[in-house]
């Protein structure tokens, strides 16, 4: 019998109703539609309603993925939620999501924080757990309410982020050569300070002063992060292709983390793969961190951009600084 591999049985995504355009942002901070579009490619982003939490976005995406997979919450025995914006610091968002969806109490539920690479990390983790033979169906969600940790007075970051969620249902197949072919994960912990929330954790609990200074919001040295992101995503893509003995030309579609159009264009040049082979939706969502790849994956599938037999490359980069790549054959 062929060895078991992890396959994607269904995908789903959700974005909150409210749309914040670049023109809206130009009324809030000293910026312009032109600056945001030319520097990042972003035109608008979705913003959750005040009472809408990350778990609400996740549940909507998960329901769509379960329906696509023709499975019920009772079929799930592993739930991994990639997020940097859980509903509360404690407990994990996955437990709220389990409860809201009605996933059984025997299911393992936990959150995973690898920032914008979180979905690829979660995919790899779920795949390893499924390969152990102790789980049958995994629900992997990337969900973020970044608007809750964005400093809306900081024009260098607030124009970049958005809210949303994407989900996949995973199962096991014995058909040779399909599913998750391989993954490559890594991190540059020495550059963690370039993209972080400085206060509010155990090393630096929040104080009234730190909150007044906005140190409980995301801070980023964009230019430095940009350079490392390009290099790390290019290397991760090259490594995973080499690992699987594949050439870039065999990739039908690349689903990159949606942070900046210029980063994606640079990867396209490096891999010598035309931009038509890259799925890009950041103009409508901004950077939704761990939700960006599963949202794009779901949209690409529903738009008919992924066909049976196609090889898809997922490639991510985020705070940590983490990176990850995964190859999937459908
Ligand atoms: N509107 C107008 N001007 C702005 C601005 C805004 N929203 N934000 C910054 N500026 C200004 C800066 O103050 C700077 O002015 P100065 O030259 O007078 O100092 C100028 O625009 C250029 O800023 P800079 O930061 O050098 O721009 P950039 O070309 O590097 O683009 C980013 C900025 C953030 C779009 C880009 O660096 C980026 O995308 N970085 C990586 C982001 C990323 O991928 N993060 C997530 C990883 S998961």
């Amino acid at each position: 019998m062929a060895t078991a591999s992890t396959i994607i049985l269904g995908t789903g995504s959700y974005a909150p109703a409210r749309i914040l355009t670049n023109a809206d942002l130009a009324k809030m901070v000293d910026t312009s539609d032109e600056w945001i579009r030319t520097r990042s490619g972003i035109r608008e982003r979705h913003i959750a309603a005040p009472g809408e939490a990350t778990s609400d976005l996740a549940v909507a995406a998960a329901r769509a993925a379960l329906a696509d997979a023709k499975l019920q919450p009772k079929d799930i025995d592993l739930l991994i939620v990639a997020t940097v914006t859980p509903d509360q610091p404690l407990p994990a968002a996955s437990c709220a999501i389990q409860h809201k969806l009605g996933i059984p109490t025997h299911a393992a539920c936990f959150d995973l924080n690898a920032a914008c690479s979180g979905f690829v990390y979660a995919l790899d983790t779920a795949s390893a757990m499924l390969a152990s033979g102790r789980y049958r169906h995994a629900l992997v969600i990337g969900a973020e309410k970044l608007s809750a940790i964005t400093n809306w007075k900081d024009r260098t970051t607030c124009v970049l982020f958005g809210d949303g969620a994407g989900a996949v249902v995973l199962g096991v197949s014995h058909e040779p050569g399909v599913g998750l072919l391989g993954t490559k994960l890594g991190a540059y912990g020495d550059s963690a300070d370039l993209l972080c929330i400085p206060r509010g954790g155990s090393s630096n609990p929040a104080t009234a002063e730190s909150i007044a200074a906005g140190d409980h919001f995301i801070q980023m040295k964009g230019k430095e992060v940009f350079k490392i992101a390009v290099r790390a995503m290019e290397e991760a893509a090259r490594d995973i292709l080499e690992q699987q003995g594949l050439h870039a030309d065999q990739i039908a579609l690349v689903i990159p983390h949606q942070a900046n159009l210029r980063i994606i264009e640079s990867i396209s040049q490096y891999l010598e793969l035309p931009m038509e082979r890259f799925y890009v939706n950041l103009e409508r969502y901004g950077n939704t961190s761990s939700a960006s790849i599963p949202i794009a994956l779901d949209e690409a599938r529903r738009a008919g951009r992924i066909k049976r037999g196609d090889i898809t490359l997922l490639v991510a980069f985020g705070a940590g600084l983490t990176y990850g790549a995964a190859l999937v054959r459908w």
Side-chain angles (χ1 to χ4, degrees):
M1 191 166 68
T3 49
S5 62
T6 299
I7 52 165
I8 297 178
L9 299 170
T11 61
S13 60
Y14 173 79
R18 184 178 158 218
I19 290 173
L20 188 72
T21 65
N22 290 350
D24 295 330
L25 275 164
K27 292 179 202 145
M28 296 159 60
V29 288
D30 181 14
T31 190
S32 65
D33 172 52
E34 210 260 331
W35 192 96
I36 302 169
R37 268 192 298 105
T38 53
R39 301 285 173 136
S40 72
I42 300 164
R43 290 172 185 271
E44 59 189 35
R45 66 288 292 144
H46 293 255
I47 302 293
E52 206 172 17
T54 292
S55 65
D56 298 313
L57 313 184
V59 163
R63 286 206 171 107
L66 284 164
D68 188 38
K70 298 185 177 54
L71 289 173
Q72 306 291 325
K74 67 173 170 50
D75 300 316
I76 300 298
D77 51 11
L78 172 62
L79 169 62
I80 307 180
V81 180
T83 188
V84 297
T85 50
D87 294 10
Q88 318 159 215
L90 187 79
S94 55
C95 297
I97 295 162
Q98 174 208 22
H99 177 61
K100 288 180 187 183
L101 282 171
I103 289 173
T105 52
H106 64 72
C109 300
F110 64 96
D111 289 5
L112 183 156
N113 178 345
C116 305
S117 309
F119 180 77
V120 177
Y121 268 70
L123 201 58
D124 193 36
T125 306
S127 174
M129 291 178 77
L130 287 169
S132 75
R134 287 183 283 126
Y135 304 90
R136 289 191 62 213
H137 292 122
L139 175 60
V140 173
I141 307 175
E144 304 286 5
K145 184 178 173 180
L146 292 182
S147 60
I149 57 167
T150 296
N151 184 345
W152 291 102
K153 293 182 181 149
D154 175 8
R155 70 174 183 170
T156 68
T157 53
C158 76
V159 300
L160 302 172
F161 302 119
D163 300 337
V168 295
V169 177
L170 303 177
V172 173
S173 170
H174 294 282
E175 192 185 329
V178 299
L180 190 61
L181 303 179
T183 55
K184 164 82 187 165
L185 308 178
Y188 298 97
D190 57 344
S191 300
D193 289 351
L194 296 178
L195 175 47
C196 65
I197 296 177
R199 299 294 290 256
S202 61
S203 73
N204 253 329
T207 60
E209 292 75 30
S210 75
I211 289 171
D215 287 345
H216 57 305
F217 293 125
I218 301 175
Q219 294 181 10
M220 176 169 68
K221 295 198 169 59
K223 233 183 205 0
E224 287 92 329
V225 171
F226 188 101
K227 284 183 210 143
I228 303 174
V230 168
R231 197 187 70 212
M233 289 171 83
E234 289 173 352
E235 281 178 11
R238 191 195 61 210
D239 287 354
I240 189 95
L241 286 168
E242 208 175 285
Q243 182 202 98
Q244 294 301 316
L246 291 168
H247 186 264
D249 199 41
Q250 292 171 272
I251 306 300
L253 192 65
V254 182
I255 306 208
H257 171 48
Q258 311 280 320
N260 188 311
L261 184 60
R262 291 185 291 135
I263 293 178
I264 298 174
E265 286 171 344
S266 159
I267 300 167
S268 153
Q269 280 171 13
Y270 174 83
L271 293 180
E272 295 177 17
L273 260 190
M275 278 300 282
E276 297 80 65
R277 300 251 200 122
F278 285 72
Y279 192 82
V280 179
N281 65 3
L282 60 83
E283 70 280 4
R284 288 178 285 121
Y285 291 97
N287 178 350
T288 58
S289 191
S290 62
S292 95
I293 288 180
I295 292 174
L297 179 63
D298 182 49
E299 281 194 356
R301 271 192 73 232
R302 287 172 198 265
R305 294 281 305 271
I306 300 174
K307 298 188 179 55
R308 198 165 156 74
D310 277 359
I311 299 176
T312 306
L313 167 66
L314 316 181
V315 59
F317 179 83
L321 302 167
T322 56
Y323 63 87
L327 280 173
V328 180
R329 186 184 276 124
W330 298 83

